[in-house]
Amino acid sequence: MVDRGARRIASFYEVIEQRIGESEYLGSDRFTLADITALRAVDFATIVKHGVPNGNENTERWYAVCSSRPSAKA
C-alpha cells in the first residue's frame, strides 16, 4: 500500500508539473476550485513527507502563488 501510494503521489506531481507549465493555474488562467483542491492535497502530502519534488519548478511557483493568497491562510 505504501509503495502504491508513493507512486500515485509521484504521478500526481508529474501531472501538475506538466499542466502548470501550460497555464498559470490548474483549470485555467485564473484561480479555481481545482487549485484549492490541489493546494490542500499538496499540503497533506507535505505533512506525510511527500512534498513537491525538487526540480518541479512550475509546481513550486504555483504552490507559492496559491499558498500566499489570504484565503489559503484562513
Side-chain angles (χ1 to χ4, degrees), residues 13-28:
Y13 282 123
E14 287 175 20
V15 169
I16 288 183
E17 181 67 10
Q18 179 181 355
R19 177 63 187 131
I20 295 300
E22 300 166 358
S23 178
E24 186 173 355
Y25 295 103
L26 287 173
S28 68

Side-chain angles (χ1 to χ4, degrees), residues 50-67:
H50 289 284
V52 177
N54 292 332
N56 282 31
E57 294 175 6
N58 296 323
T59 306
E60 290 173 349
R61 177 202 49 81
W62 166 84
Y63 184 76
V65 168
C66 291
S67 62

Side-chain angles (χ1 to χ4, degrees), residues 25 31 36 39-40 64-74:
Y25 295 103
F31 189 73
I36 295 167
L39 181 63
R40 295 301 130 205
V65 168
C66 291
S67 62
S68 69
R69 295 174 63 88
S71 59
K73 297 176 177 149

